[in-house]
Amino acid sequence: MSEFKLTTVEEMEAATNRLLETGAKVGADAWQYRVKNQTPHCKFGETGVCCRICAMGPCRITPKAPRGICGCDVHGIVGRNYLKFTAGGAATHSDHGREICHTLYESAADGDYKVKDPEKLIRIAKEWGIETEGKDIYDLAHEVAYTGLMEYGKPFGYQRFMERLPEHTQELWKKNEVAPRAIDREVATSMHMTHMGCSSLPEALIKQSIRAGLCDGWGGSMMGTEFSDVLFGTPKPVDTEANLGVMNADNVNIVVHGHDPSLSEMICEYADDPEMIAYAKEMGAKGITVSGVCCTSNEVAMRRGIPMAGNFLQQENVVLTGACEAIVVDVQCIFPALGPLSKCFHTKFITTSPVAQMPDSEFIRFNAKTAGENAKAIVKMAVENFKNRKPELVHIPDMKQKATVGYSLEAIVKTLDGVTNTQVDQTGTLKPLWDCVAAGVIRGAVAMVGCNNPKVRPDYAHIELMKYLLKHDIIIVASGCSAQAAAKAGLMDKRAKDLCGAGLKRVCELADIPPVLHMGSCVDISRMMNLVSELAKVGGVNISQLPVVGCAPEWMSEKAVSIGNYVIGTGIDTFLGVDPYVSGSSEVAELLTNGTRQWVEAAFTVEKDIEQLGIKMRDRIEEKRAALGV
């Protein structure tokens, strides 16, 4: 076995700088240049003190102008802006879930989309009180999908998945009026509350922010995760590779990017088609390589072992290699810059969703009914583009790491059964994990999530925090771009166990797992919520008592704010490395960092010093252990 060595952030940055040299030869733009043009950022915007919700303004709060034209003070303005930000994220993630519901509704025995995990479908149907006996699996799929779609606009009741929570949390939410109702209702209510002349009371605005986030985490995102598993298979551990070196100079390179697995699954199907591979060879290539960027990459990595080329701030890099025949995108986190950048090379920039249409792209509208023919056309276009590659511009960094990914909740239960030396529960629960935590072998866990952000040295916070926590026997579950940062560095290689403290290292050896567990894409943070819910039940405690915290050290999107709200809403203290644009209001900042505890038993901590962020997370985990007496 070769000697294990982490890839450093410095090495990744050096590889990026080499790619930027290629870009300079053809006049390509890149985010590194655009950041310089946009700094310093607007301080009114960064502190959340500007308002443009009506045409009397925009209004900016200053010491000389402490109120807007309507009389709203800084606390109301900051609170409204925060709720609008949350509503945007909740709408986006939940709309992803809605598309997956529609795809499940279109599944058929002879169709492009099939039910690959019928057992999970039946389990969800029973959970929702849908009769399963004697039904064709596709009739059942359509009924479950329809029921899921009704969660978006139902006139009464709460989200169905809420019933997965411990009774304590359910009652807490109802008592404090944060229990999520219909998904679209919470988004619409948020937009109504932030309209001119409506809510300006910080407590009301922050409480609705939590409720909007919870309709995402325990509604839209959870359906996105669960129904993707039904359609494409529930993830289980699979080996793959990560970083730009996964691209192949001899092959047609297709990069999938975005968040919706419906598209990427079909692209992978047709890229594996012998007919297409033969066609690629006719065009002069040796084969076809599909790799991914962002959460679409996580989706196909954990189900198919498709390699991960990079995360959010590496999306331009795949084009800068000069070896990308097509970058195929669906929705969310896609730079409009990919259009002009692709024109500097031979790359086809292919958009596929009416939700994410961009200039300088080739639009091939993708939908569940025509998925096969759409995917085949895209793969064929990429193959035919191979002959247009300019060899003098090709440079793929020799940089990749091995990774084991695909730790769904079901996979974690199966993997950890039998780890502890106490009596093992072989019925498929999280008791072995609880035993490890209670015994102190594992001190606690951190759910590391979120994006990259140029305000934080890209990937540095994720990687350094993980290394610090592992050393102190704190296991990491990761999703989204944070998971890809870990994979690129090598922290999802099982050999990375040597970076752990003695207790966690022993667990990794016994269970044969890496110390950072890949749980999927950003909608799959819902898997983490299910995990803590089940762990609390096994331990006989409230979720807020578990030695578990969340962390998004490099977050940047509205979705991340929605996620943060549903993570604290679920009872998990959450640590941020980027300020969520609320520092202009002492009242809103106090509510988010302390006041929310009275409603949901958890709150945010904002700490821009990454070293201090790690220390604060460890301290909070130890506080929770002491309070539990474990």
Side-chain angles (χ1 to χ4, degrees):
M1 183 177 290
S2 60
E3 182 182 352
F4 174 71
K5 178 181 176 295
L6 287 181
T7 300
T8 67
V9 172
E10 288 78 10
E11 288 171 323
M12 295 185 210
E13 289 171 341
T16 295
N17 289 336
R18 170 63 181 79
L19 292 173
L20 292 174
E21 290 175 12
T22 301
K25 294 176 183 177
V26 292
D29 194 12
W31 67 262
Q32 288 87 346
Y33 308 133
R34 296 190 296 273
V35 164
K36 293 177 182 178
N37 294 336
Q38 285 294 334
T39 50
H41 297 291
C42 170
K43 294 303 178 185
F44 295 104
E46 281 193 324
T47 55
V49 300
C50 57
C51 179
R52 51 181 296 276
I53 68 170
C54 79
M56 292 192 294
C59 296
R60 300 179 300 181
I61 300 302
T62 67
K64 290 183 178 180
R67 292 183 180 269
I69 291 169
C70 71
C72 190
D73 66 14
V74 70
H75 309 300
I77 288 172
V78 171
R80 285 190 310 214
N81 287 341
Y82 185 81
L83 177 51
K84 275 183 175 287
F85 216 77
T86 303
T92 301
H93 256 169
S94 293
D95 209 36
H96 171 164
R98 189 188 332 244
E99 286 302 310
I100 299 297
C101 288
H102 278 292
T103 302
L104 181 61
Y105 193 80
E106 295 293 340
S107 64
D110 59 351
D112 288 321
Y113 294 106
K114 298 176 174 60
V115 170
K116 290 189 177 179
D117 192 341
E119 290 80 11
K120 187 160 196 173
L121 174 65
I122 292 167
R123 194 162 69 244
I124 294 169
K126 289 179 177 178
E127 180 183 349
W128 283 2
I130 297 171
E131 182 57 53
T132 62
E133 288 299 317
K135 284 186 180 174
D136 175 81
I137 198 68
Y138 287 96
D139 289 340
L140 183 62
H142 301 157
E143 190 172 351
V144 169
Y146 183 86
T147 305
L149 287 166
M150 292 304 293
E151 290 296 285
Y152 284 82
K154 65 184 183 183
F156 306 108
Y158 302 113
Q159 285 297 293
R160 290 172 178 267
F161 281 134
M162 224 180 92
E163 295 181 11
R164 292 181 169 184
L165 286 155
E167 193 66 31
H168 169 83
T169 306
Q170 294 185 49
E171 291 307 314
L172 188 69
W173 288 1
K174 291 173 185 176
K175 172 187 172 184
N176 291 302
E177 296 186 332
V178 296
R181 302 161 297 183
I183 297 164
D184 290 348
R185 179 180 184 181
E186 299 303 358
V187 173
T189 296
S190 300
M191 299 310 292
H192 188 177
M193 287 179 70
T194 55
H195 189 275
M196 189 273 160
C198 288
S199 291
S200 56
L201 182 69
E203 289 87 345
L205 293 162
I206 299 307
K207 188 174 280 191
Q208 180 58 24
S209 297
I210 293 173
R211 198 170 205 172
L214 289 171
C215 84
D216 168 9
W218 290 89
S221 278
M222 199 162 284
M223 282 191 282
T225 293
E226 298 288 69
F227 294 165
S228 290
D229 287 355
V230 170
L231 283 164
F232 311 124
T234 300
K236 54 188 177 183
V238 60
D239 292 334
T240 187
E241 293 179 318
N243 223 326
L244 289 167
V246 302
M247 298 176 71
N248 190 323
D250 296 323
N251 287 1
V252 172
N253 284 290
I254 301 173
V255 177
V256 291
H257 173 25
H259 287 74
D260 186 342
S262 302
L263 167 68
S264 52
E265 281 286 328
M266 281 292 115
I267 296 293
C268 291
E269 283 286 331
Y270 281 90
D272 281 342
D273 187 338
E275 178 186 335
M276 281 296 173
I277 293 172
Y279 191 39
K281 290 177 178 178
E282 284 182 35
M283 295 292 107
K286 291 183 178 179
I288 302 173
T289 294
V290 178
S291 60
V293 167
C294 260
C295 281
T296 284
S297 177
N298 284 312
E299 296 277 4
V300 291
M302 66 185 174
R303 293 191 176 93
R304 292 175 171 268
I306 297 295
M308 298 183 282
N311 48 8
F312 176 63
L313 286 180
Q314 273 188 291
Q315 60 185 278
E316 290 174 313
N317 287 13
V318 297
V319 178
L320 288 167
T321 65
C324 178
E325 274 61 59
I327 182 164
V328 187
V329 305
D330 44 73
V331 293
Q332 301 171 26
C333 297
I334 299 150
F335 279 179
L338 288 175
L341 176 63
S342 294
K343 288 187 176 299
C344 294
F345 294 86
H346 75 297
T347 305
K348 298 283 188 184
F349 176 43
I350 302 171
T351 53
T352 60
S353 171
V355 171
Q357 298 182 66
M358 298 184 185
D360 298 311
S361 71
E362 301 198 35
F363 183 59
I364 298 179
R365 186 165 185 155
F366 188 87
N367 66 64
K369 291 184 178 180
T370 60
E373 63 183 79
N374 295 152
K376 187 173 183 179
I378 289 169
V379 173
K380 188 170 184 284
M381 182 186 294
V383 168
E384 291 173 346
N385 194 30
F386 181 79
K387 63 181 180 293
N388 296 319
R389 186 188 287 185
K390 297 176 181 177
E392 68 275 13
L393 295 179
V394 173
H395 172 74
I396 299 174
D398 183 16
M399 181 178 291
K400 62 183 176 181
Q401 288 278 9
K402 293 180 180 179
T404 302
V405 300
Y407 288 94
S408 59
L409 175 57
E410 292 88 341
I412 290 174
V413 168
K414 184 175 180 181
T415 301
L416 293 181
D417 261 345
V419 169
T420 59
N421 294 320
T422 60
Q423 184 179 356
V424 175
D425 184 341
Q426 296 289 359
T427 60
T429 75
L430 288 169
K431 185 176 183 299
L433 179 57
W434 174 256
D435 288 342
C436 285
V437 173
V441 178
I442 294 176
R443 302 303 295 174
V446 172
M448 193 81 74
V449 304
C451 333
N452 299 129
N453 189 325
K455 291 183 176 181
V456 181
R457 187 179 178 188
D459 292 333
Y460 181 81
H462 293 298
I463 294 167
E464 292 305 310
L465 284 171
M466 288 178 187
K467 286 161 59 179
Y468 173 81
L469 295 165
L470 296 178
K471 184 172 66 175
H472 290 94
D473 290 317
I474 297 169
I475 196 168
I476 310 292
V477 291
S479 69
C481 287
S482 180
Q484 290 171 322
K488 290 190 301 176
L491 291 167
M492 288 182 177
D493 189 317
K494 293 175 183 178
R495 294 174 295 175
K497 67 182 185 297
D498 292 336
L499 298 171
C500 303
L504 180 54
K505 180 178 179 180
R506 182 64 175 150
V507 172
C508 291
E509 289 171 341
L510 289 170
D512 191 30
I513 58 173
V516 179
L517 299 180
H518 179 283
M519 290 200 79
S521 65
C522 51
V523 296
D524 294 331
I525 296 168
S526 61
R527 297 190 199 278
M528 300 174 184
M529 300 303 98
N530 282 327
L531 189 155
V532 294
S533 180
E534 291 305 308
L535 192 61
K537 293 174 188 175
V538 169
V541 299
N542 299 333
I543 292 174
S544 59
Q545 294 175 292
L546 292 170
V548 174
V549 301
C551 182
E554 302 182 26
W555 74 271
M556 62 86 203
S557 74
E558 292 173 319
K559 295 181 301 175
V561 173
S562 177
I563 291 166
N565 283 318
Y566 76 67
V567 174
I568 67 160
T570 303
I572 303 168
D573 287 312
T574 298
F575 293 73
L576 307 176
V578 176
D579 183 79
Y581 295 169
V582 299
S583 61
S585 164
S586 58
E587 289 184 17
V588 173
E590 168 62 19
L591 278 170
L592 290 172
T593 57
N594 185 45
T596 55
R597 294 189 189 281
Q598 65 183 308
W599 305 323
V600 292
E601 300 177 342
F604 289 106
T605 295
V606 180
E607 177 56 71
K608 296 179 182 179
D609 184 308
I610 299 306
E611 184 177 343
Q612 286 300 311
L613 190 61
I615 292 170
K616 288 181 178 181
M617 283 193 285
R618 184 188 173 206
D619 287 348
R620 186 67 179 124
I621 285 170
E622 293 299 335
E623 284 174 12
K624 287 177 178 259
R625 291 189 65 85
L628 277 175
V630 296

